[in-house]
Amino acid sequence: MTRTYAIIGDPIDHSLSPALHNASFAFLGLDCTYIAYRVPKGELDASIADLKKIGIAGFNVTIPHKVDMMKLLDETDEQCKIVGATNTVVNTDGRLKGYNTDVEGFLDPIRKRNIDCKGTDVLVIGAGGAARAIVAGFAKEKVRKITITNRTQENAEKIVKFAKQLGVESEYVDLAQAGDIAPSFKFVVNATSVGLKGSGLPISTKNITKDSIVYDIVYMPVETQLIEQSKEHGATIIYGWEMLLAQAMKSFEIWIGRPAPYEAMKLTLLGRF
Ligand code: NAP
C-alpha cells in the first residue's frame, strides 16, 4: 500500500517539501507520496484526527503549528523537548512521535565545513521559532555567548532567557547597533524573515569582514541582500537552502529508515529557485 506523508501549515502553497520528498521517493523507487495540507490556526486538532483516519505515515509541521503540535504528541525526542517545538512527526498505528530536525539541520552545513563553534561568540538576528532551534544548536556546540537582536525586544528577551536556561551566556542588543558590533562575532545568523523575496537587510553589513561567517536561513532568493553584501566584504557564506535540505534529509531518514538521496534532493531544490 502507498505510504502517504504530508506537510501541515498555513500558508503552505509555497512549500518546497513536497517536491523534495517526492523526488526522493521516485529516485529510490519507493511507493510513497507527500502532499501539502493547509491547516489554518485553530484547526490543528481536527486536522490531526483526519490525518490519523487516513493512516498518514508521517508529516512535517511548519508555521504556525510547530509549538501547538507538541501537546498532540504521544512521545517526543530530546531535541523537541529542548526547543519546545516539533517539525517532524511519525505515526505508528495512531501513536504520534515528534522530532525536531531544525536543530541538526541548522548545524549540518557548519559541520560540513569543519567549523568549530566551541567557545565562540555568535550573533542571532531574530527571535521566532527558527531562532529557538538555532540557539539550541549553538548551545549544543558549546558556544561561549549568544547575542540576540530583534525588531521586538520583548521577543528577544525570551530567547535570551532560553539560551541562559541551556547554560549559555546571552544578552540582547538593539537592532540598530547590531551591525556596528558585527566584528565581535564569529557567526552572524539571520533568523528573521527579512530578505525573503528581496525584502531588504536585517542589519547593516558595513562592518562585516572576511573573518565573519554569515549564515542566512532565508532561502528565497538564494542570494539575499545580506549574502550579496557580505560576499563583497569577503565573508564566509552559509546558505539557507543548505539548512532546508539538511532538515528535510533528516525527516526523510526518520520516516524511511535509510539515507536520503542528497544529490536528487539538491537538484530538485536548486532547480526550483
Ligand atoms: P517566526 O517565528 O514568524 O519569526 C519571525 C522573525 O522575523 C521574528 O524575529 C520577527 O521579529 C522577524 N521579522 C519578521 N518581519 C520582520 C520585519 N519586517 N523586520 C524585522 N524583523 C522581522 O518565523 P520563523 O519560523 O522563525 O522563520 C523565520 C525565517 O526563517 C522565515 O523566513 C523562514 O522561511 C526561515 N526558515 C528557514 C529555514 C531553513 O531551513 N532554511 C527553517 C526555518 C525557517 P518580531 O519578533 O519583531 O516579530
Side-chain angles (χ1 to χ4, degrees):
M1 199 180 77
T2 306
R3 290 160 66 85
T4 305
Y5 296 87
I7 179 160
I8 63 163
D10 189 24
I12 205 71
D13 48 353
H14 67 287
S15 175
L16 297 168
S17 297
L20 278 179
H21 288 286
N22 284 319
S24 304
F25 297 148
F27 184 80
L28 295 174
L30 300 173
D31 187 11
C32 300
T33 186
Y34 186 108
I35 56 166
Y37 181 27
R38 188 172 82 87
V39 176
K41 214 172 168 58
E43 293 182 20
L44 184 62
D45 292 42
S47 301
I48 296 302
D50 288 343
L51 286 175
K52 282 185 182 178
K53 264 188 222 157
I54 65 158
I56 197 87
F59 52 96
N60 284 129
V61 185
T62 189
I63 293 172
H65 303 305
K66 285 186 181 186
V67 172
D68 293 343
M69 186 62 218
M70 289 290 283
K71 61 179 188 301
L72 301 176
L73 298 171
D74 299 295
E75 208 184 327
T76 51
D77 82 337
E78 196 52 33
Q79 296 299 342
C80 266
K81 285 193 193 98
I82 292 170
V83 180
T86 181
N87 75 328
T88 304
V89 177
V90 175
N91 178 21
T92 313
D93 302 324
R95 259 188 80 78
L96 302 182
K97 179 167 181 184
Y99 298 81
N100 190 313
T101 68
D102 282 336
V103 177
E104 282 298 317
F106 171 72
L107 292 176
D108 187 78
I110 298 175
R111 294 197 176 128
K112 279 208 172 90
R113 288 169 172 77
N114 289 319
I115 299 169
D116 191 5
C117 300
K118 196 171 175 197
T120 63
D121 290 1
V122 303
L123 174 68
V124 176
I125 314 159
R132 273 182 90 82
I134 289 165
V135 164
F138 275 138
K140 202 173 168 190
E141 294 301 293
K142 306 213 175 320
V143 298
R144 192 189 75 88
K145 184 175 171 188
I146 303 174
T147 299
I148 309 285
T149 187
N150 191 48
R151 176 179 62 180
T152 309
Q153 180 173 352
E154 196 190 338
N155 295 341
E157 296 291 2
K158 287 182 194 153
I159 303 288
V160 166
K161 196 172 159 201
F162 175 60
K164 288 180 179 167
Q165 282 165 355
L166 298 178
V168 183
E169 202 179 304
S170 186
E171 68 170 359
Y172 164 79
V173 296
D174 191 86
L175 198 52
Q177 275 127 45
D180 298 337
I181 57 168
S184 334
F185 306 104
K186 179 156 179 167
F187 280 90
V188 172
V189 181
N190 177 34
T192 71
S193 43
V194 178
L196 191 67
K197 296 179 181 158
S199 60
L201 272 174
I203 58 165
S204 157
T205 57
K206 65 178 195 289
N207 286 342
I208 297 283
T209 73
K210 65 173 180 34
D211 296 323
S212 313
I213 301 169
V214 176
Y215 191 158
D216 194 343
I217 74 161
V218 170
Y219 51 82
M220 188 86 82
V222 169
E223 303 272 340
T224 59
Q225 267 187 54
L226 175 65
I227 287 179
E228 265 175 12
Q229 294 189 14
S230 301
K231 264 188 178 172
E232 284 166 15
H233 293 277
T236 298
I237 305 296
I238 304 182
Y239 291 94
W241 68 261
E242 298 178 67
M243 173 177 173
L244 183 70
L245 191 62
Q247 60 79 29
M249 286 180 69
K250 286 175 198 307
S251 294
F252 183 97
E253 285 158 16
I254 288 168
W255 292 325
I256 307 297
R258 59 193 271 193
Y262 175 78
E263 286 301 332
M265 274 196 168
K266 185 179 167 192
L267 268 175
T268 306
L269 182 61
L270 295 183
R272 299 258 153 180
F273 292 131

